[in-house]
PDB file of all heavy atoms in Angstrom:
ATOM      1  N   VAL A   4      10.805  -7.405  -2.405  1.00 98.00           N
ATOM      2  CA  VAL A   4      11.861  -8.290  -2.901  1.00 98.00           C
ATOM      3  C   VAL A   4      13.108  -8.239  -2.023  1.00 98.00           C
ATOM      4  O   VAL A   4      13.671  -9.282  -1.664  1.00 98.00           O
ATOM      5  CB  VAL A   4      12.227  -7.935  -4.359  1.00 98.00           C
ATOM      6  CG1 VAL A   4      13.391  -8.802  -4.846  1.00 98.00           C
ATOM      7  CG2 VAL A   4      11.025  -8.114  -5.277  1.00 98.00           C
ATOM      8  N   TRP A   5      13.551  -7.038  -1.660  1.00 98.00           N
ATOM      9  CA  TRP A   5      14.843  -6.901  -0.989  1.00 98.00           C
ATOM     10  C   TRP A   5      14.736  -6.461   0.475  1.00 98.00           C
ATOM     11  O   TRP A   5      15.735  -6.404   1.177  1.00 98.00           O
ATOM     12  CB  TRP A   5      15.725  -5.917  -1.753  1.00 98.00           C
ATOM     13  CG  TRP A   5      16.140  -6.443  -3.088  1.00 98.00           C
ATOM     14  CD1 TRP A   5      17.099  -7.388  -3.349  1.00 98.00           C
ATOM     15  CD2 TRP A   5      15.604  -6.074  -4.366  1.00 98.00           C
ATOM     16  NE1 TRP A   5      17.189  -7.628  -4.692  1.00 98.00           N
ATOM     17  CE2 TRP A   5      16.295  -6.833  -5.357  1.00 98.00           C
ATOM     18  CE3 TRP A   5      14.620  -5.176  -4.786  1.00 98.00           C
ATOM     19  CZ2 TRP A   5      16.018  -6.725  -6.711  1.00 98.00           C
ATOM     20  CZ3 TRP A   5      14.352  -5.061  -6.141  1.00 98.00           C
ATOM     21  CH2 TRP A   5      15.037  -5.830  -7.086  1.00 98.00           C
ATOM     22  N   GLY A   6      13.545  -6.166   0.956  1.00 98.00           N
ATOM     23  CA  GLY A   6      13.399  -5.714   2.322  1.00 98.00           C
ATOM     24  C   GLY A   6      13.417  -6.848   3.332  1.00 98.00           C
ATOM     25  O   GLY A   6      13.161  -8.008   3.012  1.00 98.00           O
ATOM     26  N   LYS A   7      13.706  -6.491   4.584  1.00 98.00           N
ATOM     27  CA  LYS A   7      13.732  -7.460   5.677  1.00 98.00           C
ATOM     28  C   LYS A   7      12.433  -7.459   6.489  1.00 98.00           C
ATOM     29  O   LYS A   7      12.175  -8.393   7.236  1.00 98.00           O
ATOM     30  CB  LYS A   7      14.912  -7.165   6.607  1.00 98.00           C
ATOM     31  CG  LYS A   7      16.279  -7.340   5.959  1.00 98.00           C
ATOM     32  CD  LYS A   7      17.395  -7.014   6.938  1.00 98.00           C
ATOM     33  CE  LYS A   7      18.771  -7.190   6.302  1.00 98.00           C
ATOM     34  NZ  LYS A   7      19.867  -6.832   7.259  1.00 98.00           N
ATOM     35  N   ARG A   8      11.638  -6.406   6.342  1.00 98.00           N
ATOM     36  CA  ARG A   8      10.381  -6.308   7.095  1.00 98.00           C
ATOM     37  C   ARG A   8       9.274  -7.010   6.320  1.00 98.00           C
ATOM     38  O   ARG A   8       8.296  -6.402   5.874  1.00 98.00           O
ATOM     39  CB  ARG A   8      10.024  -4.842   7.327  1.00 98.00           C
ATOM     40  CG  ARG A   8      11.056  -4.072   8.131  1.00 98.00           C
ATOM     41  CD  ARG A   8      10.736  -2.578   8.127  1.00 98.00           C
ATOM     42  NE  ARG A   8      11.681  -1.827   8.953  1.00 98.00           N
ATOM     43  CZ  ARG A   8      11.709  -0.492   9.036  1.00 98.00           C
ATOM     44  NH1 ARG A   8      10.841   0.225   8.322  1.00 98.00           N
ATOM     45  NH2 ARG A   8      12.591   0.106   9.805  1.00 98.00           N
ATOM     46  N   GLN A   9       9.388  -8.305   6.169  1.00 98.00           N
ATOM     47  CA  GLN A   9       8.518  -9.037   5.260  1.00 98.00           C
ATOM     48  C   GLN A   9       7.060  -9.094   5.729  1.00 98.00           C
ATOM     49  O   GLN A   9       6.144  -8.816   4.952  1.00 98.00           O
ATOM     50  CB  GLN A   9       9.079 -10.440   5.049  1.00 98.00           C
ATOM     51  CG  GLN A   9      10.306 -10.459   4.168  1.00 98.00           C
ATOM     52  CD  GLN A   9       9.989 -10.161   2.716  1.00 98.00           C
ATOM     53  OE1 GLN A   9       9.300 -10.923   2.047  1.00 98.00           O
ATOM     54  NE2 GLN A   9      10.479  -9.035   2.213  1.00 98.00           N
ATOM     55  N   LEU A  10       6.820  -9.458   6.968  1.00 98.00           N
ATOM     56  CA  LEU A  10       5.437  -9.517   7.456  1.00 98.00           C
ATOM     57  C   LEU A  10       4.815  -8.124   7.445  1.00 98.00           C
ATOM     58  O   LEU A  10       3.643  -7.961   7.080  1.00 98.00           O
ATOM     59  CB  LEU A  10       5.394 -10.107   8.864  1.00 98.00           C
ATOM     60  CG  LEU A  10       4.027 -10.166   9.554  1.00 98.00           C
ATOM     61  CD1 LEU A  10       3.000 -10.900   8.701  1.00 98.00           C
ATOM     62  CD2 LEU A  10       4.147 -10.826  10.925  1.00 98.00           C
ATOM     63  N   TYR A  11       5.577  -7.133   7.806  1.00 98.00           N
ATOM     64  CA  TYR A  11       5.088  -5.751   7.769  1.00 98.00           C
ATOM     65  C   TYR A  11       4.667  -5.351   6.359  1.00 98.00           C
ATOM     66  O   TYR A  11       3.616  -4.723   6.165  1.00 98.00           O
ATOM     67  CB  TYR A  11       6.186  -4.828   8.292  1.00 98.00           C
ATOM     68  CG  TYR A  11       5.939  -3.350   8.111  1.00 98.00           C
ATOM     69  CD1 TYR A  11       4.947  -2.689   8.824  1.00 98.00           C
ATOM     70  CD2 TYR A  11       6.727  -2.603   7.231  1.00 98.00           C
ATOM     71  CE1 TYR A  11       4.741  -1.323   8.665  1.00 98.00           C
ATOM     72  CE2 TYR A  11       6.529  -1.249   7.078  1.00 98.00           C
ATOM     73  CZ  TYR A  11       5.539  -0.605   7.787  1.00 98.00           C
ATOM     74  OH  TYR A  11       5.343   0.741   7.623  1.00 98.00           O
ATOM     75  N   GLU A  12       5.457  -5.722   5.368  1.00 98.00           N
ATOM     76  CA  GLU A  12       5.114  -5.369   3.989  1.00 98.00           C
ATOM     77  C   GLU A  12       3.843  -6.088   3.542  1.00 98.00           C
ATOM     78  O   GLU A  12       3.028  -5.526   2.803  1.00 98.00           O
ATOM     79  CB  GLU A  12       6.274  -5.688   3.048  1.00 98.00           C
ATOM     80  CG  GLU A  12       7.490  -4.808   3.240  1.00 98.00           C
ATOM     81  CD  GLU A  12       7.187  -3.322   3.115  1.00 98.00           C
ATOM     82  OE1 GLU A  12       6.306  -2.956   2.296  1.00 98.00           O
ATOM     83  OE2 GLU A  12       7.829  -2.524   3.815  1.00 98.00           O
ATOM     84  N   LEU A  13       3.662  -7.325   3.981  1.00 98.00           N
ATOM     85  CA  LEU A  13       2.412  -8.025   3.667  1.00 98.00           C
ATOM     86  C   LEU A  13       1.222  -7.321   4.312  1.00 98.00           C
ATOM     87  O   LEU A  13       0.141  -7.231   3.713  1.00 98.00           O
ATOM     88  CB  LEU A  13       2.493  -9.476   4.133  1.00 98.00           C
ATOM     89  CG  LEU A  13       3.389 -10.404   3.313  1.00 98.00           C
ATOM     90  CD1 LEU A  13       3.565 -11.736   4.025  1.00 98.00           C
ATOM     91  CD2 LEU A  13       2.825 -10.616   1.913  1.00 98.00           C
ATOM     92  N   LEU A  14       1.411  -6.835   5.524  1.00 98.00           N
ATOM     93  CA  LEU A  14       0.333  -6.099   6.195  1.00 98.00           C
ATOM     94  C   LEU A  14       0.078  -4.763   5.505  1.00 98.00           C
ATOM     95  O   LEU A  14      -1.076  -4.335   5.381  1.00 98.00           O
ATOM     96  CB  LEU A  14       0.677  -5.888   7.665  1.00 98.00           C
ATOM     97  CG  LEU A  14       0.560  -7.141   8.540  1.00 98.00           C
ATOM     98  CD1 LEU A  14       1.208  -6.917   9.908  1.00 98.00           C
ATOM     99  CD2 LEU A  14      -0.907  -7.545   8.714  1.00 98.00           C
ATOM    100  N   CYS A  15       1.123  -4.106   5.041  1.00 98.00           N
ATOM    101  CA  CYS A  15       0.925  -2.855   4.295  1.00 98.00           C
ATOM    102  C   CYS A  15       0.126  -3.111   3.025  1.00 98.00           C
ATOM    103  O   CYS A  15      -0.750  -2.311   2.656  1.00 98.00           O
ATOM    104  CB  CYS A  15       2.277  -2.219   3.958  1.00 98.00           C
ATOM    105  SG  CYS A  15       3.129  -1.488   5.371  1.00 98.00           S
ATOM    106  N   ASP A  16       0.421  -4.213   2.363  1.00 98.00           N
ATOM    107  CA  ASP A  16      -0.348  -4.591   1.178  1.00 98.00           C
ATOM    108  C   ASP A  16      -1.810  -4.831   1.544  1.00 98.00           C
ATOM    109  O   ASP A  16      -2.731  -4.398   0.830  1.00 98.00           O
ATOM    110  CB  ASP A  16       0.259  -5.845   0.552  1.00 98.00           C
ATOM    111  CG  ASP A  16      -0.564  -6.374  -0.613  1.00 98.00           C
ATOM    112  OD1 ASP A  16      -0.537  -5.765  -1.686  1.00 98.00           O
ATOM    113  OD2 ASP A  16      -1.257  -7.401  -0.433  1.00 98.00           O
ATOM    114  N   PHE A  17      -2.039  -5.515   2.660  1.00 98.00           N
ATOM    115  CA  PHE A  17      -3.408  -5.784   3.108  1.00 98.00           C
ATOM    116  C   PHE A  17      -4.166  -4.478   3.351  1.00 98.00           C
ATOM    117  O   PHE A  17      -5.292  -4.291   2.871  1.00 98.00           O
ATOM    118  CB  PHE A  17      -3.375  -6.621   4.386  1.00 98.00           C
ATOM    119  CG  PHE A  17      -4.741  -6.831   5.008  1.00 98.00           C
ATOM    120  CD1 PHE A  17      -5.539  -7.878   4.597  1.00 98.00           C
ATOM    121  CD2 PHE A  17      -5.225  -5.962   5.980  1.00 98.00           C
ATOM    122  CE1 PHE A  17      -6.801  -8.074   5.148  1.00 98.00           C
ATOM    123  CE2 PHE A  17      -6.483  -6.141   6.542  1.00 98.00           C
ATOM    124  CZ  PHE A  17      -7.276  -7.200   6.124  1.00 98.00           C
ATOM    125  N   TRP A  18      -3.567  -3.555   4.092  1.00 98.00           N
ATOM    126  CA  TRP A  18      -4.267  -2.307   4.431  1.00 98.00           C
ATOM    127  C   TRP A  18      -4.397  -1.380   3.231  1.00 98.00           C
ATOM    128  O   TRP A  18      -5.364  -0.616   3.128  1.00 98.00           O
ATOM    129  CB  TRP A  18      -3.564  -1.607   5.590  1.00 98.00           C
ATOM    130  CG  TRP A  18      -3.644  -2.374   6.880  1.00 98.00           C
ATOM    131  CD1 TRP A  18      -2.609  -2.896   7.601  1.00 98.00           C
ATOM    132  CD2 TRP A  18      -4.842  -2.728   7.592  1.00 98.00           C
ATOM    133  NE1 TRP A  18      -3.084  -3.557   8.712  1.00 98.00           N
ATOM    134  CE2 TRP A  18      -4.446  -3.471   8.729  1.00 98.00           C
ATOM    135  CE3 TRP A  18      -6.201  -2.503   7.381  1.00 98.00           C
ATOM    136  CZ2 TRP A  18      -5.359  -3.975   9.662  1.00 98.00           C
ATOM    137  CZ3 TRP A  18      -7.113  -3.014   8.295  1.00 98.00           C
ATOM    138  CH2 TRP A  18      -6.698  -3.730   9.411  1.00 98.00           C
ATOM    139  N   SER A  19      -3.451  -1.462   2.305  1.00 98.00           N
ATOM    140  CA  SER A  19      -3.582  -0.670   1.075  1.00 98.00           C
ATOM    141  C   SER A  19      -4.821  -1.084   0.299  1.00 98.00           C
ATOM    142  O   SER A  19      -5.487  -0.252  -0.336  1.00 98.00           O
ATOM    143  CB  SER A  19      -2.336  -0.842   0.191  1.00 98.00           C
ATOM    144  OG  SER A  19      -1.223  -0.218   0.754  1.00 98.00           O
ATOM    145  N   ASN A  20      -5.132  -2.376   0.338  1.00 98.00           N
ATOM    146  CA  ASN A  20      -6.334  -2.860  -0.328  1.00 98.00           C
ATOM    147  C   ASN A  20      -7.586  -2.593   0.491  1.00 98.00           C
ATOM    148  O   ASN A  20      -8.652  -2.322  -0.061  1.00 98.00           O
ATOM    149  CB  ASN A  20      -6.197  -4.355  -0.619  1.00 98.00           C
ATOM    150  CG  ASN A  20      -5.323  -4.625  -1.821  1.00 98.00           C
ATOM    151  OD1 ASN A  20      -5.733  -4.447  -2.955  1.00 98.00           O
ATOM    152  ND2 ASN A  20      -4.091  -5.039  -1.580  1.00 98.00           N
ATOM    153  N   HIS A  21      -7.457  -2.664   1.808  1.00 98.00           N
ATOM    154  CA  HIS A  21      -8.617  -2.390   2.661  1.00 98.00           C
ATOM    155  C   HIS A  21      -9.075  -0.949   2.502  1.00 98.00           C
ATOM    156  O   HIS A  21     -10.282  -0.671   2.422  1.00 98.00           O
ATOM    157  CB  HIS A  21      -8.259  -2.679   4.116  1.00 98.00           C
ATOM    158  CG  HIS A  21      -9.421  -2.551   5.052  1.00 98.00           C
ATOM    159  ND1 HIS A  21     -10.391  -3.517   5.179  1.00 98.00           N
ATOM    160  CD2 HIS A  21      -9.788  -1.545   5.903  1.00 98.00           C
ATOM    161  CE1 HIS A  21     -11.300  -3.134   6.061  1.00 98.00           C
ATOM    162  NE2 HIS A  21     -10.958  -1.942   6.521  1.00 98.00           N
ATOM    163  N   PHE A  22      -8.116  -0.036   2.467  1.00 98.00           N
ATOM    164  CA  PHE A  22      -8.415   1.388   2.255  1.00 98.00           C
ATOM    165  C   PHE A  22      -7.985   1.773   0.837  1.00 98.00           C
ATOM    166  O   PHE A  22      -7.197   2.696   0.632  1.00 98.00           O
ATOM    167  CB  PHE A  22      -7.668   2.254   3.275  1.00 98.00           C
ATOM    168  CG  PHE A  22      -8.153   2.111   4.693  1.00 98.00           C
ATOM    169  CD1 PHE A  22      -7.396   1.421   5.636  1.00 98.00           C
ATOM    170  CD2 PHE A  22      -9.348   2.668   5.097  1.00 98.00           C
ATOM    171  CE1 PHE A  22      -7.822   1.293   6.955  1.00 98.00           C
ATOM    172  CE2 PHE A  22      -9.796   2.552   6.408  1.00 98.00           C
ATOM    173  CZ  PHE A  22      -9.029   1.862   7.341  1.00 98.00           C
ATOM    174  N   ASN A  23      -8.497   1.051  -0.138  1.00 98.00           N
ATOM    175  CA  ASN A  23      -7.986   1.193  -1.495  1.00 98.00           C
ATOM    176  C   ASN A  23      -8.226   2.584  -2.084  1.00 98.00           C
ATOM    177  O   ASN A  23      -9.318   3.155  -1.973  1.00 98.00           O
ATOM    178  CB  ASN A  23      -8.631   0.157  -2.423  1.00 98.00           C
ATOM    179  CG  ASN A  23      -8.012   0.171  -3.800  1.00 98.00           C
ATOM    180  OD1 ASN A  23      -6.822  -0.045  -3.935  1.00 98.00           O
ATOM    181  ND2 ASN A  23      -8.799   0.460  -4.824  1.00 98.00           N
ATOM    182  N   ILE A  24      -7.192   3.098  -2.722  1.00 98.00           N
ATOM    183  CA  ILE A  24      -7.248   4.354  -3.478  1.00 98.00           C
ATOM    184  C   ILE A  24      -6.510   4.119  -4.785  1.00 98.00           C
ATOM    185  O   ILE A  24      -5.325   3.748  -4.776  1.00 98.00           O
ATOM    186  CB  ILE A  24      -6.587   5.510  -2.705  1.00 98.00           C
ATOM    187  CG1 ILE A  24      -7.321   5.789  -1.401  1.00 98.00           C
ATOM    188  CG2 ILE A  24      -6.545   6.777  -3.567  1.00 98.00           C
ATOM    189  CD1 ILE A  24      -6.558   6.683  -0.435  1.00 98.00           C
ATOM    190  N   ASP A  25      -7.175   4.305  -5.890  1.00 98.00           N
ATOM    191  CA  ASP A  25      -6.573   4.083  -7.200  1.00 98.00           C
ATOM    192  C   ASP A  25      -5.638   5.240  -7.536  1.00 98.00           C
ATOM    193  O   ASP A  25      -6.059   6.386  -7.656  1.00 98.00           O
ATOM    194  CB  ASP A  25      -7.677   3.963  -8.251  1.00 98.00           C
ATOM    195  CG  ASP A  25      -7.129   3.701  -9.647  1.00 98.00           C
ATOM    196  OD1 ASP A  25      -5.930   3.407  -9.768  1.00 98.00           O
ATOM    197  OD2 ASP A  25      -7.911   3.796 -10.616  1.00 98.00           O
ATOM    198  N   VAL A  26      -4.360   4.940  -7.700  1.00 98.00           N
ATOM    199  CA  VAL A  26      -3.383   5.987  -7.996  1.00 98.00           C
ATOM    200  C   VAL A  26      -3.590   6.581  -9.386  1.00 98.00           C
ATOM    201  O   VAL A  26      -3.018   7.625  -9.715  1.00 98.00           O
ATOM    202  CB  VAL A  26      -1.948   5.422  -7.849  1.00 98.00           C
ATOM    203  CG1 VAL A  26      -1.605   4.499  -9.013  1.00 98.00           C
ATOM    204  CG2 VAL A  26      -0.925   6.540  -7.725  1.00 98.00           C
ATOM    205  N   ASN A  27      -4.418   5.939 -10.221  1.00 98.00           N
ATOM    206  CA  ASN A  27      -4.726   6.497 -11.548  1.00 98.00           C
ATOM    207  C   ASN A  27      -5.800   7.586 -11.496  1.00 98.00           C
ATOM    208  O   ASN A  27      -6.063   8.229 -12.505  1.00 98.00           O
ATOM    209  CB  ASN A  27      -5.174   5.378 -12.487  1.00 98.00           C
ATOM    210  CG  ASN A  27      -4.067   4.381 -12.769  1.00 98.00           C
ATOM    211  OD1 ASN A  27      -3.058   4.719 -13.372  1.00 98.00           O
ATOM    212  ND2 ASN A  27      -4.243   3.149 -12.311  1.00 98.00           N
ATOM    213  N   HIS A  28      -6.431   7.744 -10.347  1.00 97.00           N
ATOM    214  CA  HIS A  28      -7.410   8.814 -10.163  1.00 97.00           C
ATOM    215  C   HIS A  28      -6.672  10.148 -10.232  1.00 97.00           C
ATOM    216  O   HIS A  28      -5.753  10.417  -9.444  1.00 97.00           O
ATOM    217  CB  HIS A  28      -8.092   8.639  -8.805  1.00 97.00           C
ATOM    218  CG  HIS A  28      -9.183   9.613  -8.517  1.00 97.00           C
ATOM    219  ND1 HIS A  28      -8.935  10.911  -8.113  1.00 97.00           N
ATOM    220  CD2 HIS A  28     -10.536   9.493  -8.552  1.00 97.00           C
ATOM    221  CE1 HIS A  28     -10.075  11.534  -7.899  1.00 97.00           C
ATOM    222  NE2 HIS A  28     -11.063  10.695  -8.175  1.00 97.00           N
ATOM    223  N   ASP A  29      -7.066  11.010 -11.168  1.00 96.00           N
ATOM    224  CA  ASP A  29      -6.289  12.215 -11.462  1.00 96.00           C
ATOM    225  C   ASP A  29      -5.967  13.048 -10.228  1.00 96.00           C
ATOM    226  O   ASP A  29      -4.817  13.419  -9.990  1.00 96.00           O
ATOM    227  CB  ASP A  29      -7.026  13.085 -12.491  1.00 96.00           C
ATOM    228  CG  ASP A  29      -6.976  12.492 -13.887  1.00 96.00           C
ATOM    229  OD1 ASP A  29      -6.131  11.602 -14.110  1.00 96.00           O
ATOM    230  OD2 ASP A  29      -7.764  12.910 -14.741  1.00 96.00           O
ATOM    231  N   THR A  30      -6.991  13.351  -9.427  1.00 97.00           N
ATOM    232  CA  THR A  30      -6.773  14.237  -8.291  1.00 97.00           C
ATOM    233  C   THR A  30      -6.082  13.526  -7.137  1.00 97.00           C
ATOM    234  O   THR A  30      -5.306  14.132  -6.397  1.00 97.00           O
ATOM    235  CB  THR A  30      -8.112  14.821  -7.794  1.00 97.00           C
ATOM    236  OG1 THR A  30      -8.914  15.177  -8.922  1.00 97.00           O
ATOM    237  CG2 THR A  30      -7.885  16.059  -6.955  1.00 97.00           C
ATOM    238  N   ALA A  31      -6.337  12.243  -6.986  1.00 98.00           N
ATOM    239  CA  ALA A  31      -5.766  11.496  -5.861  1.00 98.00           C
ATOM    240  C   ALA A  31      -4.308  11.114  -6.081  1.00 98.00           C
ATOM    241  O   ALA A  31      -3.584  10.859  -5.109  1.00 98.00           O
ATOM    242  CB  ALA A  31      -6.593  10.238  -5.597  1.00 98.00           C
ATOM    243  N   ALA A  32      -3.867  11.065  -7.334  1.00 98.00           N
ATOM    244  CA  ALA A  32      -2.552  10.507  -7.658  1.00 98.00           C
ATOM    245  C   ALA A  32      -1.417  11.142  -6.856  1.00 98.00           C
ATOM    246  O   ALA A  32      -0.616  10.443  -6.226  1.00 98.00           O
ATOM    247  CB  ALA A  32      -2.280  10.637  -9.147  1.00 98.00           C
ATOM    248  N   ALA A  33      -1.338  12.454  -6.864  1.00 98.00           N
ATOM    249  CA  ALA A  33      -0.225  13.124  -6.186  1.00 98.00           C
ATOM    250  C   ALA A  33      -0.293  12.957  -4.669  1.00 98.00           C
ATOM    251  O   ALA A  33       0.727  13.067  -3.985  1.00 98.00           O
ATOM    252  CB  ALA A  33      -0.211  14.609  -6.540  1.00 98.00           C
ATOM    253  N   HIS A  34      -1.489  12.685  -4.153  1.00 98.00           N
ATOM    254  CA  HIS A  34      -1.663  12.503  -2.702  1.00 98.00           C
ATOM    255  C   HIS A  34      -1.392  11.071  -2.247  1.00 98.00           C
ATOM    256  O   HIS A  34      -1.205  10.840  -1.050  1.00 98.00           O
ATOM    257  CB  HIS A  34      -3.097  12.867  -2.299  1.00 98.00           C
ATOM    258  CG  HIS A  34      -3.447  14.311  -2.460  1.00 98.00           C
ATOM    259  ND1 HIS A  34      -2.871  15.300  -1.698  1.00 98.00           N
ATOM    260  CD2 HIS A  34      -4.334  14.930  -3.281  1.00 98.00           C
ATOM    261  CE1 HIS A  34      -3.389  16.476  -2.041  1.00 98.00           C
ATOM    262  NE2 HIS A  34      -4.273  16.277  -2.999  1.00 98.00           N
ATOM    263  N   LYS A  35      -1.396  10.110  -3.176  1.00 98.00           N
ATOM    264  CA  LYS A  35      -1.321   8.709  -2.784  1.00 98.00           C
ATOM    265  C   LYS A  35      -0.030   8.343  -2.047  1.00 98.00           C
ATOM    266  O   LYS A  35      -0.073   7.588  -1.064  1.00 98.00           O
ATOM    267  CB  LYS A  35      -1.531   7.812  -4.008  1.00 98.00           C
ATOM    268  CG  LYS A  35      -1.449   6.319  -3.713  1.00 98.00           C
ATOM    269  CD  LYS A  35      -2.403   5.878  -2.602  1.00 98.00           C
ATOM    270  CE  LYS A  35      -2.173   4.424  -2.228  1.00 98.00           C
ATOM    271  NZ  LYS A  35      -2.870   4.039  -0.983  1.00 98.00           N
TER     272      LYS A  35
END
């Protein structure tokens, strides 16, 4: 919403989904 690195944030969203890790996973949560 407030950042200036807009294309970068879209790419971060893309790669977060490509290498998806569910933050609700008990053991993975603190590492996410």
